[in-house]
């Protein structure tokens, strides 16, 4: 998956999280997978810069794009497949168009798409030459603002945990995703079995309905480390 599409999915995920009431979780994941990953962070910021209106002249705008290609090549080789896979897993259910397609085209090494690369480069140059008329109020949240929000959210979330829960969460964050993904599915099956058992013994229809709703949510939750932690705690408390 091209990084521009991945970034588009992340941005839509964060926007939808406000209406889905998942902002705390998604900003926590953003902080872990983007803000705290030096190379992903740099690449994310590079895409922001290339898609911005800067009011540059033709020559500087062209140089800006060329230098960005060099920077991209230096960054992308330092990003591990597992880091990208973690991001893909996080936003796997998000459907959106690639709003950074021209940047992806410019960064592409595929000679068969050379014509598209040239066209996209010209589009980026023209956009960089434009002045941003929406300086403050209508401007998208910058990467630095997002990091600040994420850090505050993480601190608030952590402050709500007791010491034992903090130790458990720190332990989870230090483990590999490959290992935790497998354990996550095992715990999920265990939780669903326990909930089904509770449901079969329950006589109150309202409670049975809530248990059914919880089962559906558990089944649909995709793996990330925060979801793993929450599922683990749910499993212990059933």
């Amino acid at each position: 998956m091209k990084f521009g599409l991945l970034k588009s999915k992340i941005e839509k995920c964060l926007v939808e999280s406000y209406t889905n009431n998942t902002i705390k979780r998604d900003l926590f994941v953003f902080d872990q997978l983007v803000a705290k990953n030096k190379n992903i962070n740099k690449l994310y910021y590079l895409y922001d810069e290339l898609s911005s209106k800067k009011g540059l002249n033709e020559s500087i705008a062209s140089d800006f794009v060329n230098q960005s290609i060099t920077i991209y090549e230096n960054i992308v080789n330092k990003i591990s497949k597992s880091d990208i896979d973690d991001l893909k897993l996080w936003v796997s259910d998000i459907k959106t168009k690639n709003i950074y397609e021209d940047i992806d085209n410019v960064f592409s090494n595929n000679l068969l798409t050379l014509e598209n690369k040239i066209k996209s480069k010209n589009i980026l140059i023209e956009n960089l030459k434009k002045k941003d008329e929406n300086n403050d109020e209508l401007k998208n949240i910058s990467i630095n603002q997002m990091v600040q929000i994420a850090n505050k959210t993480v601190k608030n979330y952590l402050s709500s945990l007791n010491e034992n829960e903090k130790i458990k969460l720190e332990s989870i964050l230090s483990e590999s995703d490959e290992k935790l993904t497998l354990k996550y599915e095992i715990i999920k099956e265990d939780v669903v079995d326990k909930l089904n058992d509770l449901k079969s013994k329950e006589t109150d229809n309202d409670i049975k309905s809530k248990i059914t709703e919880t089962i559906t949510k558990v089944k649909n939750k995709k793996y990330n480390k925060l979801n793993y932690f929450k599922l683990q705690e749910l499993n212990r408390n059933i």
Side-chain angles (χ1 to χ4, degrees):
M1 184 185 298
K2 294 178 179 179
F3 190 79
L5 178 57
L6 196 52
K7 187 176 188 300
S8 300
K9 285 173 171 279
I10 291 170
E11 290 174 351
K12 185 175 181 181
C13 174
L14 292 173
V15 170
E16 291 183 344
S17 68
Y18 283 94
T19 55
N20 295 337
N21 199 29
T22 58
I23 184 66
K24 180 184 287 188
R25 180 202 68 189
D26 288 316
L27 281 179
F28 180 86
V29 178
F30 178 89
D31 182 72
Q32 296 297 313
L33 302 185
V34 179
K36 289 184 177 178
N37 185 310
K38 181 175 67 174
N39 293 310
I40 294 289
N41 192 323
K42 287 180 180 178
L43 191 55
Y44 201 98
Y45 179 75
L46 181 62
Y47 271 70
D48 279 338
E49 288 293 284
L50 269 175
S51 59
S52 300
K53 297 174 182 178
K54 295 181 174 295
L56 305 178
N57 63 40
E58 180 85 25
S59 177
I60 294 177
S62 180
D63 287 343
F64 190 95
V65 174
N66 291 333
Q67 287 298 317
S68 295
I69 294 173
T70 301
I71 293 171
Y72 169 82
E73 291 172 348
N74 289 332
I75 296 173
V76 75
N77 292 327
K78 298 175 183 176
I79 298 176
S80 68
K81 181 178 181 299
S82 63
D83 288 339
I84 295 297
D85 287 343
D86 286 344
L87 289 173
K88 288 180 181 178
L89 186 60
W90 173 31
V91 294
S92 59
D93 293 334
I94 303 296
K95 306 296 182 184
T96 186
K97 67 177 183 178
N98 185 357
I99 61 176
Y100 300 100
E101 185 175 5
D102 287 316
I103 299 177
D104 281 337
N105 288 341
V106 167
F107 288 157
S108 173
N109 291 321
N110 188 348
L111 294 177
L112 297 178
T113 61
L114 183 59
E115 184 177 350
N116 286 338
K117 185 171 184 175
I118 294 172
K119 289 180 180 178
S120 291
K121 182 178 179 180
N122 288 333
I123 290 172
L124 293 182
I125 290 172
E126 289 304 310
N127 189 63
L128 288 167
K129 288 164 60 179
K130 296 177 182 178
K131 290 185 178 180
D132 188 355
E133 304 296 337
N134 304 315
N135 286 330
D136 296 313
E137 295 181 7
L138 299 181
K139 195 171 184 179
N140 290 331
I141 296 176
S142 70
I143 182 68
N144 289 330
Q145 289 173 309
M146 187 63 73
V147 170
Q148 290 174 9
I149 294 171
N151 285 337
K152 183 177 180 181
T153 301
V154 172
K155 288 178 182 177
N156 290 338
Y157 179 77
L158 291 177
S159 66
S160 70
L161 303 178
N162 60 43
E163 288 305 312
N164 189 42
E165 289 172 332
K166 288 179 182 178
I167 292 172
K168 290 175 185 176
L169 181 56
E170 288 174 2
S171 175
I172 289 170
L173 293 175
S174 67
E175 289 194 54
S176 70
D177 286 290
E178 184 178 3
K179 179 181 178 181
L180 290 180
T181 301
L182 178 59
K183 290 170 68 176
Y184 181 78
E185 294 304 321
I186 295 172
I187 296 173
K188 181 188 285 189
E189 289 181 11
D190 193 25
V191 168
V192 170
D193 287 343
K194 286 181 179 180
L195 290 172
N196 278 322
D197 186 49
L198 286 175
K199 181 181 174 183
S200 67
K201 297 175 181 177
E202 183 57 56
T203 56
D204 188 297
N205 287 332
D206 287 338
I207 295 178
K208 289 179 74 171
S209 177
K210 289 180 180 178
I211 294 174
T212 300
E213 183 180 337
T214 301
I215 291 172
T216 301
K217 287 181 179 179
V218 169
K219 286 182 176 180
N220 292 334
K221 283 290 183 183
K222 299 297 183 180
Y223 165 80
N224 61 52
K225 287 182 175 178
L226 183 57
N227 282 345
Y228 179 93
F229 172 72
K230 290 182 177 179
L231 188 66
Q232 192 177 58
E233 292 304 298
L234 175 61
N235 192 36
R236 287 196 181 100
N237 294 322
I238 295 177

